[in-house]
Amino acid sequence: GKKVNPYEILNQDKEYIKNKKAFIFDMDGTLVDSMQYWWSLTGEDKSQYASHGEYMAAKYSTVIGFKPTALDFLDYLKENGVRMCIATDTPNILSEGFFNRFPDFKNYFEFMLDCTAVGVSKRRSPAIYDLATEKLGLEKQDVLVFEDNYYALITAVEAGYDVVGIYDDANASNKEKIKEICVDYLND
């Protein structure tokens, strides 16, 4: 049967969605359930790892998975012909193990950009969103950004992007502030 649209995100009654031609996704906290490891909220002893980066690489290779409705949502968008890409602050060298475990994940996206592509974090600069938009051959008003991090959201909104905020346990304290600046907000 036909999959239900988990978010009714493509509901044409929503003004902001009408002329969008592509979606730019953040990865961690938006599609991938990794923030509790990034923020060291698991209470694990990390002394066996030489660095937080090494610890994260190990987690991507073993336990980190998807957020609950992420794959249904991506399937739905793919079936509806929506163009998608990823713009992430996580260097590919750390998340490589994740893509090895879920090789089909990349197939949803036309391309993936990590912070090394622009050399600056999206908490400080919209460069990665600009590069993604350019690679898509589109303008800012043509794309919709999905993002969970409050500071990255501010960067994107101030640069003129329409942004859908995504709830993550790691950003729960900023939920109301995020809702205020986004065109929409998804609780999953």
Side-chain angles (χ1 to χ4, degrees), residues 22-62:
F23 290 0
I24 299 174
F25 283 96
D26 168 55
M27 188 169 80
D28 297 277
T30 297
L31 296 172
V32 175
D33 197 8
S34 55
M35 294 317 293
Q36 66 272 32
Y37 301 103
W38 276 110
W39 296 112
S40 303
L41 304 176
T42 57
E44 287 172 273
D45 173 16
K46 299 193 301 196
S47 57
Q48 68 192 83
Y49 302 100
S51 65
H52 191 56
E54 189 181 294
Y55 165 76
M56 286 307 300
K59 294 297 157 188
Y60 280 115
S61 299
T62 53

Side-chain angles (χ1 to χ4, degrees), residues 9 57 100 135 170:
I9 192 72
N100 293 338
K135 278 184 73 107

Side-chain angles (χ1 to χ4, degrees), residues 134-148:
E134 191 184 313
K135 278 184 73 107
L136 288 161
L138 298 172
E139 304 290 332
K140 280 179 193 182
Q141 66 270 18
D142 302 325
V143 301
L144 191 58
V145 172
F146 289 78
E147 183 67 69
D148 70 298

